[in-house]
């Protein structure tokens, strides 16, 4: 599950959330902190290091990414 934390995956999530008009509610200089806080929250909710040491399938990673983006957008609303 460590793939969730890989820089490549974080870039995918960052680029996806940047396409959401709701992100503009957050000042540009605070967006990266907001993003990191949400990634940390998902990490903690999923079980932290114990959960993320497992290898994920592509489908599992995509599902987790979708969940994460829904969580972020819900917070923006």
């Amino acid at each position: 599950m460590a793939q969730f934390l890989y820089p490549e995956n974080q870039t995918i999530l960052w680029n996806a959330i940047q396409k959401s008009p709701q992100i503009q509610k957050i000042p540009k200089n605070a967006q990266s902190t907001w993003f990191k806080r949400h990634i940390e929250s998902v990490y903690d909710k999923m079980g932290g290091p114990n959960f993320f040491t497992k290898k994920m399938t592509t489908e599992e990673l995509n599902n987790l990414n979708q969940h994460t983006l829904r969580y972020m957008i819900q917070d923006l609303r």
Side-chain angles (χ1 to χ4, degrees):
M1 302 271 176
Q3 301 97 308
F4 178 72
L5 300 175
Y6 288 175
E8 298 85 2
N9 192 61
Q10 298 299 300
T11 299
I12 290 168
L13 292 170
W14 176 259
N15 291 339
I17 201 64
Q18 289 298 310
K19 293 177 183 176
S20 172
Q22 291 95 346
I23 194 73
Q24 301 314 315
K25 295 178 184 178
I26 300 173
K28 287 280 186 197
N29 62 345
Q31 288 180 9
S32 65
T33 302
W34 175 88
F35 179 82
K36 288 176 187 176
R37 188 181 78 232
H38 282 77
I39 296 298
E40 289 172 1
S41 178
V42 170
Y43 177 83
D44 290 341
K45 285 179 184 177
M46 298 303 292
N50 294 330
F51 181 77
F52 285 95
T53 57
K54 302 174 190 169
K55 179 88 170 137
M56 295 179 88
T57 66
T58 301
E59 183 177 350
E60 290 172 325
L61 180 59
N62 287 339
N63 288 338
L64 183 55
N65 282 346
Q66 289 173 6
H67 165 79
T68 302
L69 290 169
R70 281 193 300 273
Y71 169 62
M72 289 177 172
I73 291 171
Q74 183 178 27
D75 181 60
L76 290 170
R77 293 183 178 158

